[in-house]
Amino acid sequence: MILHLKPNTKSAILLSIMVDKHFDFVIIGGGVAGLTAAQYGARANLSTAVIEAASNGGQSLLINDLENYPGVFPAISGYELIDAMVKQAKSFGAEFITATVKSLEKKESGFELATTKGIIAAKAVLLATGAKHRHLNIDGEEKLIGKGVSYCASCDGPFFRNKRISVIGGGDAAFDEATFLSNLTDKVYLIHRREAFRAQAAVAERVMNNPKIEKMLNKIPVKINGTEKVESIVLKDVKTGEEIVHETDAVFVFVGMDPQTELVDFVQKDSSGYVVTDENMETSVKGLFCAGDVRAKPFRQIVTAAADGAYAAHSAEKYIRGE
Ligand code: NAP
């Protein structure tokens, strides 16, 4: 929602009374994109704040071995990377606020964010809210979450040690997590709706060569059975239409992500709902930037999120200084 205030001294005074904190640059979301922007923003001498509702880190916290981040060798965990990034951003003066942003409005002089910790004003804002796990939306899925249906292998995998584990999806996440889960049990089923995979070649090859991972291709899940816990999953063969009941103790779902854009119904998005930016991370609204997995782009990785964050802070600095 864009609200244009008329230049009126009374409303300006009222606004400054209502605002609890003012910053040059406010970043919504403490994942890799947001944390990189915080570091760059603070180092550029902008008063910078990161607002995060939960733990900083987002999707990165789910990574056990971060093996493809340049220069980080041997691999560290996503948690270790985030811990260092938060300390680094704080060391340059970035402020961290744990709060939920309820609304974001463009004002005459910048932006106003209504948060659970009060009203915050900013000259420029970065949306770095990431994306959340997509669900299958099939019978039995919602009621069996926490009872065998999961979207996080490192969180819930250890509950299914030596059990039959099914993984749904054919992208990097499904392949990475299937590999992780194969360390916990001898029987992992990778169920994918096609014969071709989206996963990167190196990640896919590891799964293909793993004797503990059985591939079930051209199968689409239609129902998850179980009352107190997952007992089986009904799979439909996309070529023959035949349905089979596949017995399993757990169903790990990795079928992609949905961008978290609820705060910005006023910016331009692509057909999948991701926020459109130019190469400087500028959105269709002046002063509002966007970085990381919530942004429309072809390759979502930690390294591309970090690059987005650096660009966004650089662009925000130029915007704030009126360049
Ligand atoms: P993704 O690349 O979009 O893959 C989603 C997979 O789920 C696709 O194989 C898709 O099948 C399948 N799928 C979607 N809806 C489905 C449904 N209703 N039923 C059954 N299958 C369904 O998503 P992702 O794997 O979560 O990855 C998201 C982003 O994060 C990607 O850009 C990825 O590269 C990145 N990522 C990178 C790493 C890494 O570098 N190690 C790790 C994790 C994630 P189709 O192929 O038929 O569409």
Side-chain angles (χ1 to χ4, degrees), residues 54-77:
S55 309
N56 290 304
Q59 297 297 315
S60 313
L61 295 179
L62 305 180
I63 299 173
N64 297 295
D65 294 306
L66 177 63
E67 61 178 22
N68 60 356
Y69 197 85
V72 177
F73 186 79
I76 60 170
S77 69

Side-chain angles (χ1 to χ4, degrees), residues 4 12 28 30 34 46 53 60 63 72 102 154 170 181-182 198 200 220 242 266 276 293 306:
H4 292 290
I28 310 174
L46 302 177
S60 313
I63 299 173
V72 177
K102 303 273 196 196
S154 56
L181 291 164
S182 72
R198 275 178 204 272
Q200 299 165 76
I220 191 139
E242 185 197 352
F266 48 84
V276 173
D293 281 5

Side-chain angles (χ1 to χ4, degrees), residues 11 41 108 114 142 165 173 183 193 207 222 274 284 290 292 298 308 310 312:
S11 59
E108 192 106 319
E142 295 301 315
I165 297 178
N183 296 320
R193 63 185 180 184
V207 165
V222 288
Y274 290 88
S284 55
C290 180
D308 281 6

Side-chain angles (χ1 to χ4, degrees), residues 207-221:
V207 165
M208 289 303 162
N209 295 331
N210 187 329
K212 293 179 178 177
I213 303 176
E214 185 177 327
K215 275 66 71 182
M216 298 178 79
L217 304 180
N218 297 315
K219 304 268 186 295
I220 191 139

Side-chain angles (χ1 to χ4, degrees), residues 68 134 136 168-174 176 192-194 198 200 220-221 254-257 300-301:
N68 60 356
R134 202 174 287 154
L136 291 166
I168 317 293
D172 283 328
D176 264 357
H192 180 39
R193 63 185 180 184
R194 292 190 296 144
R198 275 178 204 272
Q200 299 165 76
I220 191 139
F254 300 106
V255 295
M257 314 290 287
R300 293 191 175 82
Q301 299 279 295

